[in-house]
Amino acid sequence: MNCIIIHGCPSREEKANAVTYDKHWLQWVKKQLISKGIETHIPLMPNPWTPDYEAFKKEFQKQEINENTILIGHSCGCAFLVRWLGETKKRINHLVLVAPWKIAYRKDGSDKDFYEFPMDESIKSRVKRITIFTSDDDYEDGRKSAKIYNNGLGGKMIELKRRGHYTLRDMGTEEFPELLEVILK
């Protein structure tokens, strides 16, 4: 069994340079999974402040993905994973979407191609388990996005209180025990 975590996308390059993914729940989850014998990787996606599906795909496909793989996405990482699973028809063990995003939001429309793709609803037939984490105080479009994914893919929707967009600033901690519990079930 292995796990790959795809991080979210900061809104601007200067914000990306200030963001260190080692000060976020991703690294905590990675450490916990490795301690349980689950090989875990968090590839750094290229230029995440201007997400490009093809560039993400090129980097992501360096990872080993099989029927025992757990894929975890955060925010824009969820959009990437869902599109990639639909395109490749891969079978995996578990897909976890944390604060998933599906709605283009940039005024210049530069993110439309990344978010506005037809969702392949047959993904649910190739993934053993699907879990979606949302929060009661996430952005309105974030809550809408979670519902879009849940309607298209099914799976278990978990809404936690006061987690915002599941960032360190919103959560106030690097720990995410609820995610770990769901993965280890």
Side-chain angles (χ1 to χ4, degrees):
M1 184 163 283
N2 70 325
C3 178
I4 298 146
I5 304 171
I6 303 300
H7 60 77
C9 298
S11 58
R12 297 182 311 277
E13 182 174 4
E14 57 273 10
K15 221 173 165 185
N17 292 331
V19 171
T20 53
Y21 292 106
D22 60 344
K23 301 223 184 319
H24 202 28
W25 59 262
L26 289 78
Q27 290 295 332
W28 181 85
V29 168
K30 177 182 177 180
K31 182 179 176 184
Q32 301 303 312
L33 292 176
I34 289 171
S35 77
K36 303 288 186 195
I38 300 172
E39 183 181 338
T40 304
H41 298 280
I42 307 172
L44 187 59
M45 293 292 123
N47 305 321
W49 53 91
T50 55
D52 175 86
Y53 176 75
E54 292 300 324
F56 272 40
K57 183 169 113 174
K58 184 177 179 182
E59 183 63 33
F60 182 72
Q61 292 190 152
K62 296 175 183 176
Q63 305 298 315
E64 181 183 335
I65 313 290
N66 59 51
E67 291 185 4
N68 294 316
T69 299
I70 301 162
L71 295 178
I72 302 171
H74 175 244
S75 192
C76 82
C78 300
F80 169 77
L81 289 174
V82 170
R83 183 171 173 184
W84 184 85
L85 284 167
E87 182 182 282
T88 63
K89 310 298 185 212
K90 284 276 193 179
R91 293 183 178 277
I92 63 166
N93 183 291
H94 194 174
L95 174 63
V96 182
L97 306 178
V98 179
W101 206 269
K102 180 82 172 88
I103 300 168
Y105 62 92
R106 298 196 177 181
K107 291 179 180 165
D108 66 0
S110 62
D111 59 346
K112 277 184 173 263
D113 181 59
F114 195 84
Y115 292 110
E116 295 181 5
F117 57 90
M119 195 175 351
D120 177 3
E121 295 186 8
S122 74
I123 289 170
K124 58 188 160 201
S125 69
R126 294 186 305 279
V127 176
K128 290 180 188 168
R129 289 193 309 155
I130 297 172
T131 306
I132 301 170
F133 281 92
T134 187
S135 178
D136 64 337
D137 63 345
D138 194 358
Y139 302 103
E140 182 179 345
D141 280 351
R143 293 189 312 273
K144 285 180 188 175
S145 294
K147 289 177 185 170
I148 291 168
Y149 285 117
N150 190 240
N151 289 338
L153 302 176
K156 181 176 183 177
M157 176 94 85
I158 299 173
E159 181 181 89
L160 299 178
K161 304 289 182 202
R162 296 178 303 285
R163 300 297 175 92
H165 197 57
Y166 288 86
T167 61
L168 179 60
R169 186 190 68 204
D170 291 344
M171 294 173 69
T173 180
E174 295 175 8
E175 297 182 8
F176 192 171
E178 298 88 350
L179 173 58
L180 188 62
E181 182 182 333
V182 163
I183 295 167
L184 297 177
K185 266 188 183 174

